[in-house]
Amino acid sequence: WIGQLRPRLDLIVKIEPHDRDALGELSERMGWAHVARFAQAWSVVGSRLDAGVRAAWLELDLDPRLAPEAALRAPRMFVDFTRAAQCQPEIEARLDLASEVLATLSGVHAPPALRTCLERLPDGASVASLCVLAGEPPIVRACVVGVADRLTAYLAAIGWPGDIDALARRVLDPFTRAHGEDAIGVVHLDLAAEVAPRIGLEYTFPRPGRATGLRSADTFLRQLVARGWCTARNRESLRAWPRRSVELLPHDVWHSRVTRQIAHIKLAYTPGEPVVAKAYLRTTFDLLAGGTLVHGRPRRFSWPGDGAPAPSDGAVPPSAPAGGLQALDRPAVRARARDGTSVAFLRRELRRVTGMTMSTAQQEALEQILNRATVDLEFRKALLHDPRKAIHEGLGIRIPANFRVKFIERHKDVDALIVLPDLVREDGELDDCDLDAVAGGADGDAPLPW
């Protein structure tokens, strides 16, 4: 919630179809009866929900005034429909699917206003998702896409009870002039017997693969600050949020490619009340277990039986490491590695001794570099030629300029590769040149920041 100083957060977690069983187990453990009913119905292969639901979203309101157990007691669930279900030509087929979703979530049927919303949709528009809000009677929230350039006409057609001219003057027109009509990606409507006054407008941020969205995110945020709908501090925080990186997440033992984006900002408008702005920060991560980053893209190597590894992108496979891939016995990684994906880890007795004090982060970074070098031939060659560049471009890890590093490999005609100990003078001391050669000019006891 970006217009107020008090921290308040809506945490939303996406559930993909392959996570349906896990959703059922979690909801039963947490006592979420409505979520458990939906998960069970969604898991029936060949059912209407199986064919018509693309994903589900758990939403938890994290308000510091609420105890944690209260915040976790009854999450809302949004249900996304597949494109085929959204485009069903028969209104009754779409209503039947919506009714089944609502029945599993709350025991209610599709409200009369939902039929009105479906019947009055302009060409190319659809109801993309539904949610049930707490209340008596329960309120159904419909998320409508494809009506941005015809919004005022659509609101009039469905009987929205607010003042459409006031909505246009206060909210729609200023943003349309600055960003175009297609900046609104989704319209939220609250439905019961009739359409409720409160509506939500999602202004979407551009990202790869999406042609529409705000023309200028910075201009939009400045407009929100000028209207008092966003604090200046939150505007700066939002501008600093987007980032792409390779990170070792706290809950994992293998690095992930992490992408942070501003998905959209929703303006909640109710006639006669202050506008509330919410920023939705999107975070995704792709676990890199069993693979590596090549030119910024994750590359996984499946190891079918005793054959050669097959890269997922169709490229030339690397040479198999001597002795094959080592089994990984860490449950956190095994649970996340996809079927058919092999994970390479060095045996404990083969881990290198560097001769310098290393922090945990440095040890993990070195382990990632060495593991990748066992399965990626191009990365291995780059390490031998220009290790600093190879590590930075391949893994996003910067090695300090004053730290010199060199990789060597054992040739096939060598049975043992031994690194000689440091040369010590007769008096047992190392001179300054020797120290520089060994430690690269850095303090051997101080952890390096890479």
Side-chain angles (χ1 to χ4, degrees), residues 221-411:
L221 292 173
R222 285 203 304 269
Q223 288 179 297
L224 294 181
V225 173
R227 285 165 173 74
W229 301 343
C230 176
T231 66
R233 179 180 179 182
N234 284 339
R235 169 179 171 263
E236 294 303 316
S237 298
L238 288 171
R239 296 177 64 193
W241 172 259
R243 190 178 72 182
R244 299 183 68 180
S245 59
V246 175
E247 302 178 28
L248 183 66
L249 301 179
H251 66 280
D252 253 320
V253 294
W254 194 269
H255 284 71
S256 295
R257 183 182 64 176
V258 181
T259 302
R260 305 193 327 193
Q261 301 165 318
I262 304 177
H264 60 271
I265 287 181
K266 187 176 82 171
L267 301 182
Y269 177 85
T270 305
E273 297 183 11
V275 172
V276 175
K278 300 180 183 181
Y280 288 74
L281 308 179
R282 184 172 184 263
T283 306
T284 62
F285 67 93
D286 300 314
L287 195 70
L288 299 181
T292 138
L293 280 181
V294 177
H295 303 301
R297 296 183 296 109
R299 192 189 207 188
R300 298 179 181 277
F301 298 102
S302 60
W303 221 275
D306 297 328
S312 59
D313 58 3
V316 177
S319 301
L325 291 179
Q326 305 305 316
L328 178 64
D329 59 354
R330 301 190 186 186
V333 172
R334 187 190 300 112
R336 290 167 173 81
R338 297 178 179 175
D339 292 342
T341 298
S342 296
V343 181
F345 256 73
L346 296 175
R347 292 189 182 96
R348 291 187 181 275
E349 62 268 26
L350 294 181
R351 290 181 180 170
R352 276 60 167 176
V353 177
T354 65
M356 57 175 277
T357 302
M358 299 182 70
S359 67
T360 301
Q362 291 166 358
Q363 294 174 21
E364 291 166 343
L366 178 60
E367 187 171 67
Q368 185 186 16
I369 293 167
L370 298 179
N371 288 336
R372 174 170 174 176
T374 65
V375 295
D376 189 333
L377 181 59
E378 294 302 317
F379 181 70
R380 186 185 188 93
K381 291 179 179 178
L383 285 177
L384 297 172
H385 175 67
D386 189 347
R388 190 185 312 276
K389 181 180 178 181
I391 293 170
H392 179 238
E393 291 183 353
L395 301 173
I397 299 173
R398 290 186 181 274
I399 296 181
N402 65 342
F403 183 77
R404 292 170 289 185
V405 61
K406 181 178 181 180
F407 289 84
I408 59 175
E409 64 178 350
R410 181 177 64 84
H411 293 284

Side-chain angles (χ1 to χ4, degrees), residues 79-224:
V79 176
D80 284 355
F81 299 121
T82 63
R83 188 61 186 164
Q86 295 178 43
C87 298
Q88 276 274 6
E90 299 85 8
I91 296 291
E92 295 303 326
R94 283 179 274 171
L95 280 172
D96 288 344
L97 175 59
S99 293
E100 188 162 342
V101 167
L102 299 175
T104 59
L105 289 176
S106 64
V108 301
H109 295 289
L114 179 58
R115 176 184 289 274
T116 303
C117 289
L118 290 173
E119 291 175 342
R120 304 298 171 86
L121 282 171
D123 291 341
S126 63
V127 173
S129 57
L130 288 177
C131 171
V132 180
L133 306 180
E136 190 57 46
I139 299 294
V140 174
R141 176 162 294 174
C143 301
V144 184
V145 298
V147 296
D149 57 340
R150 297 160 286 186
L151 179 56
T152 56
Y154 180 63
L155 291 177
I158 63 175
W160 181 63
D163 185 333
I164 294 178
D165 291 336
L167 170 66
R169 288 194 308 270
R170 189 178 181 193
V171 179
L172 300 180
D173 291 348
F175 295 118
T176 298
R177 287 193 296 268
H179 308 281
E181 292 178 329
D182 60 357
I184 299 178
V186 185
V187 177
H188 292 218
L189 300 171
D190 290 351
L191 311 173
E194 298 177 342
V195 180
R198 181 177 59 183
I199 62 173
L201 307 171
E202 288 189 8
Y203 286 83
T204 55
F205 284 74
R207 61 174 183 257
R210 172 185 286 170
T212 60
L214 295 165
R215 292 176 181 171
S216 170
D218 193 57
T219 299
F220 183 76
L221 292 173
R222 285 203 304 269
Q223 288 179 297
L224 294 181

